[in-house]
Amino acid sequence: MRVRLGVNVLGVGCHPAAWRTGEVEPTAQFDVAYFQQVARIGERGTLDAVFLADQPGLFEPPDRRPPMTALEPTVVLAAVASATERIGVVATASTSYNEPFNLARRIASLDHLSGGRAGWNAVTTYAPTASANFGFEAPASHDERYGRADEFLSVTKQLWDSWADDALVGDVDAGVYADTGRIEPIDHVGEHFSVRGPLNVPRSRQGRPVLVQAGGSPQGRALAAKHAEAIFTSQLTLEAGQAFYADIKSRVLREGRDPDGVLILPGLTTVIGGTEAEAHARYERLEELAGGSGSLWHLAAQLGLDAESLDLDAPLPPIDRSRLKSSVGFQDAFLSLAAQGLTVRQIVTRFASGHRLVVGAPEQVADTIEAWVRERAADGFNLMPDVFPTGLEAFVDHVVPELRRRGIFRTEYEGTTLREHLGLPRPVRHEAVFV
Amino acid sequence: MRVRLGVNVLGVGCHPAAWRTGEVEPTAQFDVAYFQQVARIGERGTLDAVFLADQPGLFEPPDRRPPMTALEPTVVLAAVASATERIGVVATASTSYNEPFNLARRIASLDHLSGGRAGWNAVTTYAPTASANFGFEAPASHDERYGRADEFLSVTKQLWDSWADDALVGDVDAGVYADTGRIEPIDHVGEHFSVRGPLNVPRSRQGRPVLVQAGGSPQGRALAAKHAEAIFTSQLTLEAGQAFYADIKSRVLREGRDPDGVLILPGLTTVIGGTEAEAHARYERLEELAGGSGSLWHLAAQLGLDAESLDLDAPLPPIDRSRLKSSVGFQDAFLSLAAQGLTVRQIVTRFASGHRLVVGAPEQVADTIEAWVRERAADGFNLMPDVFPTGLEAFVDHVVPELRRRGIFRTEYEGTTLREHLGLPRPVRHEAVFV
């Protein structure tokens, strides 16, 4: 059993009050040295990858807290890659507001300049604050977005495979730079895109970037089963996680793919203390800094409700799914909690930044991770520490050694590429185009 | 008098045979360490900026020479910025095949992560090999492309100014992250774009990235006069350079802008030897490695002719402008040579990679640079060394000291931003939006 671990560097920490803790420069997310420092800590902990979320727009007014995403992920991760040696770099980018040629090329470029450590987390981006920046009155429908995403991913994989592994020759004596017989246009003509190709970037050390996907709706699951190699998902209970895990792995099988080639990585927000009591004290201080209850505020926002209308010690009021302001995956996640009849307070303490929250001592965090992987609810996690860099340092210095003692996490990197870290095969290039 | 100098890192050198010289790894342009090394050499020479050209597609089959552009410039320059301290980073990107929000944001991100050293070279991209990657049967017309470019640049500047300089607050005690009253949507609705904004990136240390432009047609000149702060141009004779310089500066005046705020930087391909004879021997070896005449081949390609049909010792045959395979700026440049009745051989030795070629000792290269700036044909140059890193090292170690002795080039960086290097003012944000 091997646990996979990425770290999701959301702003300066995944708790809304992170920027007010004094543990990090409040506006550090506009300073690339911050991202490089966090990545080096992750690399010290032999984590698989640094992950950056993305939204092409201001998700909400940044008056009381940092924007969820700001600097564009591919350029930030190019700088991160050049300050690190081994850790993978996974950039989120939207299939709804990009062109396949540009994005395929940019991620492939990141893959080259990181020596084969890049991945792309493909999202369809619901937010109306994004669509208004691209000439749309409102976001396209869910079906429309996923139809475009499916074609986008298919075009991207073809472009990444448009050069054979041995097409780049560089034979000075013979004067042959590239074997252009091994570089083929893709001549794609589809409903959303017409792309001739080939890409102007060869294959990389790991063949091509790792494809990550982050949608939890039926269409998102279908897309993941067809294309993804890792899935970033929100799962708040072990049971919901197990159901999701089983559903995806069986969908992958039905697609004729290897279930071990598609990793399930839920988000996990961590608040770590030397003891459980210390961790809870830390969490309470964060909630206080957020002005009462930061996580309550976040939950209410996702539910489309006013935080002050919620009674902490009562169950959630009946939820009108049509009013929910979040992706289907997030909706399923917190409805799975509400269905258990938990109080608002109990839901909030399991829910942070839309992901499962664990508040505890290092052993307890390790227990959660181990249990979810053993019980087939996850292949690992995308970590979301409360505050950077401190929360990640706590994880790397105290949880990673515990996972190593248990023999379920590496003690050093075995390979150099993101695929090697994740135990994913180097994809064989589809040669059919030559036949 | 102050000379401005950038370096255009085209492949592994601006001579088509650069990759075969043994002076550089033949396929180095797929290795970011190569770009970082070149940039550090430029920084040692206190050059203003590293410049990367771009084409979103394979311009020609890379069987006999490297593709002109490959890895995507913004990600490469993000890695370059993190390996350097002072030198500017200017990325080319097309207005025809990008969305303003995405590109404005990516360049602004590069500006933040380089500490205010970024610029964007806006091009409209003629090549059909590019348009076919974005769903077009053929490139849009020249007028159509420039209409879109004008609106694109206007939207970009508005987005870059959508945050006031003091909008990012980060006041931990007051719990105020940003002053959202100082962050305004742009609400742009135009012929080509509708963009609400604001950008999710604040203003940078230099206010906003430097806008560079590279088109030489009447529409390109009009666009430059209206928006650009530097112009990368091809000028092959002093007289043509002077005419271009005077035309642009007067257009800038007519736009109500300061002519000193728009720098004219022609490309200058350099082949440097210890003596003039050594430089010519080096040039002849390069031509030989290119298989006869690399520059002849390049000239013929731009003319849409077969290289073998040209007699080196005769004047150029009459040119049918409609058959020319290059931008209007390049056409004007070599037609200015042909009009002087020079032989093909003479034209070829002044023309390389579409730009003026100087083959000589360091003093001779310095003479050309000084003469063009004194005679108001240029404010400086975008250097295009024959081979990297050797050709740039020769420039930095032998031409830069000569320019310093003459008192026309800096001995150390006076500032930290690209605007400071170029002597450009920090743009005042347009506040009208608040009135």
Side-chain angles (χ1 to χ4, degrees), chain A residues 351-432:
Chain A
F351 174 94
S353 309
H355 291 271
R356 182 176 171 86
L357 170 69
V358 52
V359 181
E363 301 71 31
Q364 294 172 305
V365 177
D367 286 348
T368 287
I369 290 172
E370 182 172 3
W372 277 56
V373 177
R374 279 208 194 285
E375 303 289 333
R376 303 181 72 77
D379 293 307
F381 289 91
N382 204 3
L383 301 169
M384 300 176 64
D386 49 1
V387 183
F388 289 104
T390 45
L392 181 61
E393 284 174 320
F395 189 92
V396 162
D397 292 335
H398 302 290
V399 182
V400 165
E402 179 62 27
L403 296 172
R404 287 174 176 163
R405 262 193 296 279
R406 299 181 190 189
I408 58 176
F409 192 60
R410 71 169 64 84
T411 53
E412 55 187 49
Y413 289 107
E414 307 87 1
T416 62
T417 68
L418 178 55
R419 291 186 177 280
E420 288 169 326
H421 302 343
L422 293 174
L424 294 170
R426 188 181 200 282
V428 175
R429 175 174 181 250
H430 214 280
E431 292 278 348

Side-chain angles (χ1 to χ4, degrees), chain A residues 140-213:
Chain A
S141 73
H142 192 269
D143 281 350
E144 177 73 15
R145 294 203 314 278
Y146 274 90
R148 180 180 163 109
D150 183 28
E151 191 179 334
F152 198 119
L153 267 61
S154 162
V155 170
T156 297
K157 289 195 290 189
Q158 290 175 67
L159 286 170
W160 284 343
D161 280 356
S162 59
W163 292 52
D165 285 302
D166 53 2
L168 186 63
V169 177
D171 184 335
V172 165
D173 296 330
V176 176
Y177 186 78
D179 180 353
T180 46
R182 308 279 288 153
I183 305 170
E184 291 281 316
I186 68 170
D187 289 323
H188 173 89
V189 178
E191 191 185 334
H192 300 87
F193 308 108
S194 294
V195 181
R196 186 183 302 158
L199 204 60
N200 45 359
V201 178
R203 280 193 127 213
S204 79
R205 189 180 296 178
Q206 66 173 349
R208 60 183 194 218
V210 174
L211 256 181
V212 184
Q213 194 273 347

Side-chain angles (χ1 to χ4, degrees), chain B residues 16-91:
Chain B
W19 72 280
R20 297 187 68 187
T21 55
E23 297 174 16
V24 61
E25 186 64 35
T27 58
Q29 80 194 87
F30 298 105
D31 180 1
V32 73
Y34 158 75
F35 291 98
Q36 293 172 325
Q37 178 198 11
V38 167
R40 280 189 292 250
I41 293 166
E43 191 163 69
R44 176 155 65 75
T46 62
L47 301 189
D48 298 313
V50 171
F51 176 101
L52 291 187
D54 195 51
Q55 193 91 254
L58 266 181
F59 185 68
E60 60 194 35
D63 50 345
R64 314 292 294 172
R65 56 186 284 195
M68 300 267 266
T69 70
L71 301 186
E72 197 280 327
T74 60
V75 295
V76 172
L77 291 175
V80 163
S82 79
T84 53
E85 300 280 334
R86 293 296 188 91
I87 196 165
V89 288
V90 181

Side-chain angles (χ1 to χ4, degrees), chain B residues 226-240:
Chain B
K226 189 169 164 192
H227 298 290
E229 298 170 287
I231 302 177
F232 177 36
T233 175
S234 174
Q235 302 297 333
L236 302 189
T237 69
L238 182 72
E239 298 69 31

Side-chain angles (χ1 to χ4, degrees), chain A residues 20 30 54-55 57 62-63 70 72 75 78 82 97 101-102 105 109 132-135 172-173 177-178 194 196-197 200 202, chain B residues 20 30 54-55 57 62-63 70 72 75 78 82 97 101-102 105 109 132-135 172-173 177-178 194 196-197 200 202:
Chain A
R20 298 187 67 187
F30 298 105
D54 195 51
Q55 193 93 255
D63 50 344
E72 196 281 328
V75 294
S82 79
Y97 307 116
F101 190 91
N102 285 339
R105 181 182 174 212
S109 298
N133 293 326
F134 298 90
V172 165
D173 296 330
Y177 186 78
S194 294
R196 186 183 302 158
N200 45 359
Chain B
R20 297 187 68 187
F30 298 105
D54 195 51
Q55 193 91 254
D63 50 345
E72 197 280 327
V75 295
S82 79
Y97 308 116
F101 190 91
N102 285 340
R105 180 181 175 213
S109 299
N133 293 325
F134 299 90
V172 164
D173 294 332
Y177 186 77
S194 295
R196 187 182 302 159
N200 45 0

Side-chain angles (χ1 to χ4, degrees), chain A residues 55-60 94 96-97 124-141 145 301 323-327, chain B residues 101 185 187 194-198:
Chain A
Q55 193 93 255
L58 268 181
F59 186 67
E60 61 194 35
S94 175
S96 298
Y97 307 116
T124 66
T125 313
Y126 165 68
T129 44
S131 60
N133 293 326
F134 298 90
F136 300 99
E137 295 267 332
S141 73
R145 294 203 314 278
R323 293 186 53 195
L324 296 181
K325 299 262 176 78
S326 59
S327 74
Chain B
F101 190 91
D187 289 324
S194 295
V195 181
R196 187 182 302 159

Side-chain angles (χ1 to χ4, degrees), chain B residues 306-327:
Chain B
D306 186 350
E308 293 180 16
S309 74
L310 293 172
D311 178 351
L312 277 168
D313 296 308
L316 267 184
I319 303 294
D320 173 2
R321 196 152 175 148
S322 71
R323 293 186 55 193
L324 296 181
K325 299 260 176 80
S326 59
S327 73

